[in-house]
Amino acid sequence: MNNISIADILELPVQERIRLVELIWDSVAAVPEAVEISPALKAELEARLAEFEANPEAGYSWDQVKSRLKDGSWRIA
């Protein structure tokens, strides 16, 4: 394995640093079972999933979310 310093990484062009992050993320996502989550986070995720399954029509559609992000109205509600 090649050793590369943080300083070397920061000297890379932004696009190359983004690509490096993508590669690292993909390597982590390939083994999700290796990512440990706390019992509190697991409980929160299970509660949110149960809430969604009980009422899947609640909340906002992806199109609504995108629209609110673009127009800044998410800051109001």
Side-chain angles (χ1 to χ4, degrees):
M1 181 174 126
N2 294 336
N3 290 329
I4 186 167
S5 71
I6 298 294
D8 291 336
I9 292 170
L10 294 175
E11 287 180 14
L12 294 172
V14 171
Q15 287 301 100
E16 288 184 36
R17 285 184 278 159
I18 290 171
R19 182 64 185 136
L20 182 59
V21 169
E22 290 173 342
L23 291 169
I24 292 169
W25 181 255
D26 289 347
S27 73
V28 171
V31 285
E33 64 279 0
V35 178
E36 295 181 32
I37 61 170
S38 70
L41 178 57
K42 184 174 181 171
E44 177 66 23
L45 292 171
E46 287 172 353
R48 289 182 183 199
L49 179 60
E51 185 178 340
F52 167 74
E53 288 173 340
N55 189 4
E57 298 303 315
Y60 300 100
S61 71
W62 178 234
D63 287 334
Q64 290 170 315
V65 171
K66 288 190 297 186
S67 175
R68 292 184 71 191
L69 288 171
K70 286 180 182 178
D71 69 16
S73 64
W74 62 273
R75 295 182 180 115
I76 299 166

